[in-house]
Amino acid sequence: MTRALLTGLVSGLCAMAFAAPATAVKRHTYAFGVTSASMSEVVSFQGDGGPACQRAGLCGYSGTIRYSFDHADGAAIFLTKGRRVLGTGDFFFDGLTTATVQAPGAGPPCTDKELERFDGFDVEGTAAHMRIVFHPAYEDPYYLVTYCGGPTDLNIADAHGLPQIAITPRTLRHTKVHLQASSTRSFHTGPFVGTVTFSTSIRMRRSRDVKFFTNFLL
């Protein structure tokens, strides 16, 4: 599901809710300003020495890719109707991806840096059991992509390398919400094996200006 498709689904849900009769299932909208957000993702990897590694010519390669930002702001919105839930969050910041990859032999490593400006999250599950997900494959994320190569965001997504955050409507009714997640997980994807260490902290403040946030995010 692309963000454009998500936008269409949320807009459709809004339209259905406004057009529905009074006896229809009630719709809830929770709008937030993101007052502070940070994220860190560190991928340490090496060629796995297997057939895929040999075919790709990556046996003997190893390295580290780091993606991070802090002091981000932004906005988030959650919409529920019966069991259905849709939502999205956007962050704006000055972030950085760095890579150091060592090829076989004694030569100097490949190094690269990429500036990052935008990230966010999507919401999956049901209204009673929401899950905030980061860098899902359907978004075609690019935060680990550098000139030096190595595992990509899609590789990490396929390996379920990033944690999710469970959230309920009760949490969203609070004026202030603090979301946190951290994990260190092993992965084996394509020709690579390694670990991914991830952490995020998101602070949000509830807003009554639902129309502004709906227009801004959708």
mmCIF file with all atom_site columns, all heavy atoms in Angstrom, residues 125-141:
data_model
loop_
_atom_site.group_PDB
_atom_site.id
_atom_site.type_symbol
_atom_site.label_atom_id
_atom_site.label_alt_id
_atom_site.label_comp_id
_atom_site.label_asym_id
_atom_site.label_entity_id
_atom_site.label_seq_id
_atom_site.pdbx_PDB_ins_code
_atom_site.Cartn_x
_atom_site.Cartn_y
_atom_site.Cartn_z
_atom_site.occupancy
_atom_site.B_iso_or_equiv
_atom_site.pdbx_formal_charge
_atom_site.auth_seq_id
_atom_site.auth_comp_id
_atom_site.auth_asym_id
_atom_site.auth_atom_id
_atom_site.pdbx_PDB_model_num
ATOM 1   N N   . GLY A 1 125 ? -3.730  -2.982 11.540 1.00 0.00 ? 125 GLY A N   1
ATOM 2   C CA  . GLY A 1 125 ? -4.479  -3.710 12.553 1.00 0.00 ? 125 GLY A CA  1
ATOM 3   C C   . GLY A 1 125 ? -5.945  -3.344 12.561 1.00 0.00 ? 125 GLY A C   1
ATOM 4   O O   . GLY A 1 125 ? -6.535  -3.002 11.533 1.00 0.00 ? 125 GLY A O   1
ATOM 5   N N   . THR A 1 126 ? -6.536  -3.384 13.752 1.00 0.00 ? 126 THR A N   1
ATOM 6   C CA  . THR A 1 126 ? -7.938  -3.031 13.941 1.00 0.00 ? 126 THR A CA  1
ATOM 7   C C   . THR A 1 126 ? -8.031  -1.867 14.911 1.00 0.00 ? 126 THR A C   1
ATOM 8   O O   . THR A 1 126 ? -7.042  -1.495 15.558 1.00 0.00 ? 126 THR A O   1
ATOM 9   C CB  . THR A 1 126 ? -8.734  -4.217 14.496 1.00 0.00 ? 126 THR A CB  1
ATOM 10  O OG1 . THR A 1 126 ? -8.260  -4.513 15.834 1.00 0.00 ? 126 THR A OG1 1
ATOM 11  C CG2 . THR A 1 126 ? -8.569  -5.456 13.616 1.00 0.00 ? 126 THR A CG2 1
ATOM 12  N N   . ALA A 1 127 ? -9.234  -1.307 15.046 1.00 0.00 ? 127 ALA A N   1
ATOM 13  C CA  . ALA A 1 127 ? -9.403  -0.152 15.930 1.00 0.00 ? 127 ALA A CA  1
ATOM 14  C C   . ALA A 1 127 ? -9.056  -0.496 17.375 1.00 0.00 ? 127 ALA A C   1
ATOM 15  O O   . ALA A 1 127 ? -8.545  0.349  18.117 1.00 0.00 ? 127 ALA A O   1
ATOM 16  C CB  . ALA A 1 127 ? -10.835 0.361  15.840 1.00 0.00 ? 127 ALA A CB  1
ATOM 17  N N   . ALA A 1 128 ? -9.327  -1.732 17.782 1.00 0.00 ? 128 ALA A N   1
ATOM 18  C CA  . ALA A 1 128 ? -9.038  -2.131 19.161 1.00 0.00 ? 128 ALA A CA  1
ATOM 19  C C   . ALA A 1 128 ? -7.582  -2.535 19.359 1.00 0.00 ? 128 ALA A C   1
ATOM 20  O O   . ALA A 1 128 ? -7.075  -2.502 20.489 1.00 0.00 ? 128 ALA A O   1
ATOM 21  C CB  . ALA A 1 128 ? -9.949  -3.279 19.578 1.00 0.00 ? 128 ALA A CB  1
ATOM 22  N N   . HIS A 1 129 ? -6.907  -2.933 18.286 1.00 0.00 ? 129 HIS A N   1
ATOM 23  C CA  . HIS A 1 129 ? -5.526  -3.406 18.373 1.00 0.00 ? 129 HIS A CA  1
ATOM 24  C C   . HIS A 1 129 ? -4.713  -2.797 17.228 1.00 0.00 ? 129 HIS A C   1
ATOM 25  O O   . HIS A 1 129 ? -4.423  -3.461 16.239 1.00 0.00 ? 129 HIS A O   1
ATOM 26  C CB  . HIS A 1 129 ? -5.462  -4.937 18.326 1.00 0.00 ? 129 HIS A CB  1
ATOM 27  C CG  . HIS A 1 129 ? -6.207  -5.600 19.429 1.00 0.00 ? 129 HIS A CG  1
ATOM 28  N ND1 . HIS A 1 129 ? -7.545  -5.980 19.304 1.00 0.00 ? 129 HIS A ND1 1
ATOM 29  C CD2 . HIS A 1 129 ? -5.837  -5.942 20.693 1.00 0.00 ? 129 HIS A CD2 1
ATOM 30  C CE1 . HIS A 1 129 ? -7.934  -6.529 20.442 1.00 0.00 ? 129 HIS A CE1 1
ATOM 31  N NE2 . HIS A 1 129 ? -6.927  -6.529 21.292 1.00 0.00 ? 129 HIS A NE2 1
ATOM 32  N N   . MET A 1 130 ? -4.392  -1.527 17.373 1.00 0.00 ? 130 MET A N   1
ATOM 33  C CA  . MET A 1 130 ? -3.621  -0.822 16.345 1.00 0.00 ? 130 MET A CA  1
ATOM 34  C C   . MET A 1 130 ? -2.141  -1.144 16.485 1.00 0.00 ? 130 MET A C   1
ATOM 35  O O   . MET A 1 130 ? -1.632  -1.394 17.577 1.00 0.00 ? 130 MET A O   1
ATOM 36  C CB  . MET A 1 130 ? -3.809  0.697  16.475 1.00 0.00 ? 130 MET A CB  1
ATOM 37  C CG  . MET A 1 130 ? -5.240  1.157  16.447 1.00 0.00 ? 130 MET A CG  1
ATOM 38  S SD  . MET A 1 130 ? -5.316  2.963  16.626 1.00 0.00 ? 130 MET A SD  1
ATOM 39  C CE  . MET A 1 130 ? -6.937  3.152  17.359 1.00 0.00 ? 130 MET A CE  1
ATOM 40  N N   . ARG A 1 131 ? -1.448  -1.095 15.349 1.00 0.00 ? 131 ARG A N   1
ATOM 41  C CA  . ARG A 1 131 ? 0.000   -1.270 15.338 1.00 0.00 ? 131 ARG A CA  1
ATOM 42  C C   . ARG A 1 131 ? 0.616   -0.139 14.511 1.00 0.00 ? 131 ARG A C   1
ATOM 43  O O   . ARG A 1 131 ? 0.226   0.081  13.357 1.00 0.00 ? 131 ARG A O   1
ATOM 44  C CB  . ARG A 1 131 ? 0.397   -2.614 14.716 1.00 0.00 ? 131 ARG A CB  1
ATOM 45  C CG  . ARG A 1 131 ? -0.218  -3.814 15.360 1.00 0.00 ? 131 ARG A CG  1
ATOM 46  C CD  . ARG A 1 131 ? 0.388   -5.101 14.783 1.00 0.00 ? 131 ARG A CD  1
ATOM 47  N NE  . ARG A 1 131 ? 0.329   -5.124 13.324 1.00 0.00 ? 131 ARG A NE  1
ATOM 48  C CZ  . ARG A 1 131 ? -0.716  -5.557 12.617 1.00 0.00 ? 131 ARG A CZ  1
ATOM 49  N NH1 . ARG A 1 131 ? -1.822  -5.960 13.243 1.00 0.00 ? 131 ARG A NH1 1
ATOM 50  N NH2 . ARG A 1 131 ? -0.679  -5.579 11.300 1.00 0.00 ? 131 ARG A NH2 1
ATOM 51  N N   . ILE A 1 132 ? 1.571   0.541  15.119 1.00 0.00 ? 132 ILE A N   1
ATOM 52  C CA  . ILE A 1 132 ? 2.343   1.546  14.393 1.00 0.00 ? 132 ILE A CA  1
ATOM 53  C C   . ILE A 1 132 ? 3.550   0.843  13.783 1.00 0.00 ? 132 ILE A C   1
ATOM 54  O O   . ILE A 1 132 ? 4.314   0.173  14.487 1.00 0.00 ? 132 ILE A O   1
ATOM 55  C CB  . ILE A 1 132 ? 2.776   2.682  15.326 1.00 0.00 ? 132 ILE A CB  1
ATOM 56  C CG1 . ILE A 1 132 ? 1.545   3.501  15.745 1.00 0.00 ? 132 ILE A CG1 1
ATOM 57  C CG2 . ILE A 1 132 ? 3.813   3.577  14.668 1.00 0.00 ? 132 ILE A CG2 1
ATOM 58  C CD1 . ILE A 1 132 ? 1.854   4.612  16.717 1.00 0.00 ? 132 ILE A CD1 1
ATOM 59  N N   . VAL A 1 133 ? 3.708   0.989  12.474 1.00 0.00 ? 133 VAL A N   1
ATOM 60  C CA  . VAL A 1 133 ? 4.776   0.290  11.758 1.00 0.00 ? 133 VAL A CA  1
ATOM 61  C C   . VAL A 1 133 ? 5.692   1.313  11.095 1.00 0.00 ? 133 VAL A C   1
ATOM 62  O O   . VAL A 1 133 ? 5.254   2.384  10.653 1.00 0.00 ? 133 VAL A O   1
ATOM 63  C CB  . VAL A 1 133 ? 4.204   -0.686 10.714 1.00 0.00 ? 133 VAL A CB  1
ATOM 64  C CG1 . VAL A 1 133 ? 3.374   -1.755 11.391 1.00 0.00 ? 133 VAL A CG1 1
ATOM 65  C CG2 . VAL A 1 133 ? 3.369   0.049  9.668  1.00 0.00 ? 133 VAL A CG2 1
ATOM 66  N N   . PHE A 1 134 ? 6.967   0.957  11.020 1.00 0.00 ? 134 PHE A N   1
ATOM 67  C CA  . PHE A 1 134 ? 7.993   1.836  10.453 1.00 0.00 ? 134 PHE A CA  1
ATOM 68  C C   . PHE A 1 134 ? 8.610   1.187  9.214  1.00 0.00 ? 134 PHE A C   1
ATOM 69  O O   . PHE A 1 134 ? 8.895   -0.004 9.192  1.00 0.00 ? 134 PHE A O   1
ATOM 70  C CB  . PHE A 1 134 ? 9.098   2.114  11.482 1.00 0.00 ? 134 PHE A CB  1
ATOM 71  C CG  . PHE A 1 134 ? 8.583   2.722  12.758 1.00 0.00 ? 134 PHE A CG  1
ATOM 72  C CD1 . PHE A 1 134 ? 8.300   1.920  13.857 1.00 0.00 ? 134 PHE A CD1 1
ATOM 73  C CD2 . PHE A 1 134 ? 8.360   4.086  12.853 1.00 0.00 ? 134 PHE A CD2 1
ATOM 74  C CE1 . PHE A 1 134 ? 7.818   2.472  15.027 1.00 0.00 ? 134 PHE A CE1 1
ATOM 75  C CE2 . PHE A 1 134 ? 7.870   4.647  14.028 1.00 0.00 ? 134 PHE A CE2 1
ATOM 76  C CZ  . PHE A 1 134 ? 7.603   3.843  15.117 1.00 0.00 ? 134 PHE A CZ  1
ATOM 77  N N   . HIS A 1 135 ? 8.800   1.978  8.182  1.00 0.00 ? 135 HIS A N   1
ATOM 78  C CA  . HIS A 1 135 ? 9.488   1.560  6.956  1.00 0.00 ? 135 HIS A CA  1
ATOM 79  C C   . HIS A 1 135 ? 8.917   0.263  6.375  1.00 0.00 ? 135 HIS A C   1
ATOM 80  O O   . HIS A 1 135 ? 9.673   -0.655 6.046  1.00 0.00 ? 135 HIS A O   1
ATOM 81  C CB  . HIS A 1 135 ? 10.986  1.399  7.215  1.00 0.00 ? 135 HIS A CB  1
ATOM 82  C CG  . HIS A 1 135 ? 11.623  2.602  7.824  1.00 0.00 ? 135 HIS A CG  1
ATOM 83  N ND1 . HIS A 1 135 ? 12.896  2.580  8.342  1.00 0.00 ? 135 HIS A ND1 1
ATOM 84  C CD2 . HIS A 1 135 ? 11.189  3.873  7.991  1.00 0.00 ? 135 HIS A CD2 1
ATOM 85  C CE1 . HIS A 1 135 ? 13.203  3.785  8.815  1.00 0.00 ? 135 HIS A CE1 1
ATOM 86  N NE2 . HIS A 1 135 ? 12.169  4.588  8.599  1.00 0.00 ? 135 HIS A NE2 1
ATOM 87  N N   . PRO A 1 136 ? 7.580   0.163  6.238  1.00 0.00 ? 136 PRO A N   1
ATOM 88  C CA  . PRO A 1 136 ? 7.010   -1.056 5.639  1.00 0.00 ? 136 PRO A CA  1
ATOM 89  C C   . PRO A 1 136 ? 7.414   -1.172 4.175  1.00 0.00 ? 136 PRO A C   1
ATOM 90  O O   . PRO A 1 136 ? 7.654   -0.171 3.489  1.00 0.00 ? 136 PRO A O   1
ATOM 91  C CB  . PRO A 1 136 ? 5.502   -0.848 5.789  1.00 0.00 ? 136 PRO A CB  1
ATOM 92  C CG  . PRO A 1 136 ? 5.330   0.641  5.829  1.00 0.00 ? 136 PRO A CG  1
ATOM 93  C CD  . PRO A 1 136 ? 6.539   1.159  6.560  1.00 0.00 ? 136 PRO A CD  1
ATOM 94  N N   . ALA A 1 137 ? 7.445   -2.392 3.679  1.00 0.00 ? 137 ALA A N   1
ATOM 95  C CA  . ALA A 1 137 ? 7.903   -2.631 2.313  1.00 0.00 ? 137 ALA A CA  1
ATOM 96  C C   . ALA A 1 137 ? 7.043   -1.915 1.282  1.00 0.00 ? 137 ALA A C   1
ATOM 97  O O   . ALA A 1 137 ? 7.550   -1.445 0.257  1.00 0.00 ? 137 ALA A O   1
ATOM 98  C CB  . ALA A 1 137 ? 7.929   -4.129 2.039  1.00 0.00 ? 137 ALA A CB  1
ATOM 99  N N   . TYR A 1 138 ? 5.722   -1.808 1.536  1.00 0.00 ? 138 TYR A N   1
ATOM 100 C CA  . TYR A 1 138 ? 4.848   -1.187 0.541  1.00 0.00 ? 138 TYR A CA  1
ATOM 101 C C   . TYR A 1 138 ? 5.106   0.310  0.368  1.00 0.00 ? 138 TYR A C   1
ATOM 102 O O   . TYR A 1 138 ? 4.640   0.915  -0.584 1.00 0.00 ? 138 TYR A O   1
ATOM 103 C CB  . TYR A 1 138 ? 3.370   -1.438 0.855  1.00 0.00 ? 138 TYR A CB  1
ATOM 104 C CG  . TYR A 1 138 ? 2.908   -1.015 2.235  1.00 0.00 ? 138 TYR A CG  1
ATOM 105 C CD1 . TYR A 1 138 ? 2.728   0.321  2.571  1.00 0.00 ? 138 TYR A CD1 1
ATOM 106 C CD2 . TYR A 1 138 ? 2.633   -1.977 3.206  1.00 0.00 ? 138 TYR A CD2 1
ATOM 107 C CE1 . TYR A 1 138 ? 2.290   0.690  3.827  1.00 0.00 ? 138 TYR A CE1 1
ATOM 108 C CE2 . TYR A 1 138 ? 2.198   -1.610 4.469  1.00 0.00 ? 138 TYR A CE2 1
ATOM 109 C CZ  . TYR A 1 138 ? 2.016   -0.276 4.774  1.00 0.00 ? 138 TYR A CZ  1
ATOM 110 O OH  . TYR A 1 138 ? 1.584   0.086  6.024  1.00 0.00 ? 138 TYR A OH  1
ATOM 111 N N   . GLU A 1 139 ? 5.857   0.916  1.305  1.00 0.00 ? 139 GLU A N   1
ATOM 112 C CA  . GLU A 1 139 ? 6.229   2.326  1.157  1.00 0.00 ? 139 GLU A CA  1
ATOM 113 C C   . GLU A 1 139 ? 7.490   2.496  0.314  1.00 0.00 ? 139 GLU A C   1
ATOM 114 O O   . GLU A 1 139 ? 7.890   3.618  0.018  1.00 0.00 ? 139 GLU A O   1
ATOM 115 C CB  . GLU A 1 139 ? 6.452   2.957  2.531  1.00 0.00 ? 139 GLU A CB  1
ATOM 116 C CG  . GLU A 1 139 ? 5.182   3.212  3.309  1.00 0.00 ? 139 GLU A CG  1
ATOM 117 C CD  . GLU A 1 139 ? 4.403   4.399  2.792  1.00 0.00 ? 139 GLU A CD  1
ATOM 118 O OE1 . GLU A 1 139 ? 4.871   5.057  1.843  1.00 0.00 ? 139 GLU A OE1 1
ATOM 119 O OE2 . GLU A 1 139 ? 3.314   4.665  3.333  1.00 0.00 ? 139 GLU A OE2 1
ATOM 120 N N   . ASP A 1 140 ? 8.152   1.390  -0.036 1.00 0.00 ? 140 ASP A N   1
ATOM 121 C CA  . ASP A 1 140 ? 9.404   1.432  -0.795 1.00 0.00 ? 140 ASP A CA  1
ATOM 122 C C   . ASP A 1 140 ? 10.411  2.375  -0.147 1.00 0.00 ? 140 ASP A C   1
ATOM 123 O O   . ASP A 1 140 ? 10.905  3.326  -0.762 1.00 0.00 ? 140 ASP A O   1
ATOM 124 C CB  . ASP A 1 140 ? 9.139   1.868  -2.242 1.00 0.00 ? 140 ASP A CB  1
ATOM 125 C CG  . ASP A 1 140 ? 10.325  1.597  -3.155 1.00 0.00 ? 140 ASP A CG  1
ATOM 126 O OD1 . ASP A 1 140 ? 11.164  0.753  -2.788 1.00 0.00 ? 140 ASP A OD1 1
ATOM 127 O OD2 . ASP A 1 140 ? 10.418  2.228  -4.226 1.00 0.00 ? 140 ASP A OD2 1
ATOM 128 N N   . PRO A 1 141 ? 10.745  2.140  1.135  1.00 0.00 ? 141 PRO A N   1
ATOM 129 C CA  . PRO A 1 141 ? 11.648  3.050  1.857  1.00 0.00 ? 141 PRO A CA  1
ATOM 130 C C   . PRO A 1 141 ? 13.070  2.999  1.309  1.00 0.00 ? 141 PRO A C   1
ATOM 131 O O   . PRO A 1 141 ? 13.479  2.037  0.657  1.00 0.00 ? 141 PRO A O   1
ATOM 132 C CB  . PRO A 1 141 ? 11.593  2.526  3.297  1.00 0.00 ? 141 PRO A CB  1
ATOM 133 C CG  . PRO A 1 141 ? 11.230  1.078  3.147  1.00 0.00 ? 141 PRO A CG  1
ATOM 134 C CD  . PRO A 1 141 ? 10.334  0.992  1.957  1.00 0.00 ? 141 PRO A CD  1
#
